[in-house]
Amino acid sequence: MTATLRQPQGAAHTRIYAYGAARGERVVPNDDLVGPIDSSDEWIRQRTGIVTRVRAVETTTAIDLAADAATEAVSKSGVAPDKIDAVIVATISNPRQTPSVSAIVAERIGAKDAAAYDLNAACAGFAYGVGQADALIRGGGAHYAVVIGAEKLSDIVDPTDRSISFLLGDGAGAAVVGPSDTPGIGPTVWGSDGSKADAVGMNYTLTEFRDGTAPWPTLRQEGPTVFRWAVWEMVKVAREALAAAGVEASDLAAFVPHQANMRIIDEFAKQLGLPESVVIGRDIETTGNTSAASIPLATHRLLAEHPELSGGLALQIGFGAGLVYGAQVVVLP
């Protein structure tokens, strides 16, 4: 007789309980960066909407930022740290190939024996993490999860590169996800377009650096290619996420896209036809582009500045190197 395997089944629905945030300690104005790229404060503001960005001091790592953000999120969630049984960290800036950022963070926040893993989906990483946490909890693989987007991009930036150097900042944002009596996280619409993988990413490999055939790898991008892809293709993904969740743009309380560029954010909102009542995350103005951390950082700030958004619907969409993308509608805690 063949034995029948057991398959777990978890909660019917999930939601985000709370957000946490940690930003780099240094505020870096445009004037501090314009010399090496032969630019100006006015040019950066017009092209990107960035006035300042935050960067961490030398001794602060992406791990430190992730742990600080997660600590705040868990504290605000009301969930005991030892009840967290999954820690997911989205990052492209782990200072080491291994061990994972997530395993270290799980220990620091008191999530004893939690499953822990990192994921590399660049600027879409947080949306990927939320989608995975939702699936893990509903599938019975976890009961509570912490999802973190954490980056120290200042470690992988070339100050002379006009394509991206002035965009990048350091920070981490975290969210606690758990079971819910009602749906709090809509279906995740995600994917990739590897044919455009060279549009944004690292310019060299670590082995090339080790062998002395290339300098330290840094982030580069083809700005016009990324802009067109983000505005035209990602709007379609955002619409798919709304449709999958069964809601309209007019139902939203907030729109939180990846903080890539203010021009992209504004054009995105225009293409979606968002009503004026929708509050739009524009954290990039003072934080900069923090890749996987940008969505939770922007959401954390929105909730602090607009507490009335609590309980409302937010569309979040991440897109970036790879080119990978992910979007879902969530109920704000």
Side-chain angles (χ1 to χ4, degrees):
M1 179 178 176
T2 303
T4 300
L5 294 176
R6 293 178 180 174
Q7 284 193 307
Q9 185 173 358
H13 310 295
T14 64
R15 64 182 175 90
I16 294 174
Y17 286 35
Y19 286 88
R23 289 177 168 81
E25 300 93 339
R26 297 187 300 120
V27 175
V28 182
N30 292 335
D31 284 337
D32 285 7
L33 305 178
V34 297
I37 59 174
D38 190 24
S39 185
S40 68
D41 171 64
E42 182 182 10
W43 184 86
I44 293 175
R45 291 189 190 218
Q46 289 179 347
R47 292 296 186 99
T48 69
I50 297 175
V51 178
T52 61
R53 75 281 297 135
V54 290
R55 290 185 174 173
V57 297
E58 185 177 350
T59 54
T60 296
T61 68
I63 298 169
D64 299 323
L65 293 166
D68 288 348
T71 297
E72 181 190 353
V74 173
S75 175
K76 289 165 59 177
S77 74
V79 178
D82 61 0
K83 297 297 183 183
I84 303 291
D85 41 17
V87 177
I88 305 168
V89 176
T91 186
I92 60 169
S93 47
N94 184 350
R96 299 182 182 182
Q97 295 293 96
T98 190
S100 67
V101 173
S102 54
I104 298 171
V105 170
E107 188 277 332
R108 287 193 186 181
I109 66 174
K112 180 177 171 54
D113 298 326
Y117 64 94
D118 293 358
L119 65 89
N120 182 342
C123 310
F126 183 76
Y128 270 49
V130 169
Q132 290 180 10
D134 165 60
L136 281 171
I137 294 167
R138 290 191 294 112
H143 197 63
Y144 296 103
V146 178
V147 179
I148 308 162
E151 305 288 9
K152 190 183 180 186
L153 300 178
S154 58
D155 282 345
I156 48 176
V157 63
D158 175 358
T160 68
D161 174 36
R162 285 178 62 90
S163 75
I164 201 170
S165 63
F166 51 88
L167 289 169
L168 305 177
D170 303 332
V176 174
V177 180
S180 175
D181 293 334
T182 56
I185 299 175
T188 299
V189 176
W190 51 3
S192 64
D193 183 0
S195 70
K196 295 185 178 66
D198 291 337
V200 56
M202 304 300 286
N203 57 349
Y204 298 110
T205 68
L206 287 174
T207 51
E208 288 172 325
F209 174 71
R210 178 200 64 193
D211 295 341
T213 61
W216 175 251
T218 57
L219 279 170
R220 301 294 173 100
Q221 73 169 349
E222 297 174 7
T225 300
V226 174
F227 184 92
R228 289 191 297 269
W229 178 76
V231 170
W232 300 109
E233 297 303 318
M234 292 305 95
V235 167
K236 298 175 186 176
V237 173
R239 290 182 180 132
E240 288 180 34
L242 289 171
V247 300
E248 305 284 343
S250 58
D251 296 319
L252 296 175
F255 174 51
V256 190
H258 163 52
Q259 303 292 291
N261 180 307
M262 193 73 81
R263 291 168 61 203
I264 290 176
I265 294 171
D266 291 341
E267 186 62 27
F268 215 139
K270 178 181 176 182
Q271 293 295 326
L272 281 175
L274 297 179
E276 292 185 4
S277 59
V278 176
V279 180
I280 301 173
R282 291 191 172 91
D283 190 48
I284 190 172
E285 182 178 14
T286 55
T287 299
N289 178 340
T290 54
S291 190
S294 75
I295 289 175
L297 281 175
T299 305
H300 182 274
R301 174 160 282 168
L302 280 188
L303 288 171
E305 295 177 349
H306 301 276
E308 71 277 7
L309 294 176
S310 178
L313 297 177
L315 169 62
Q316 58 184 31
I317 178 168
F319 46 87
L323 293 170
V324 295
Y325 55 86
Q328 65 259 125
V329 178
V330 301
V331 176
L332 295 170

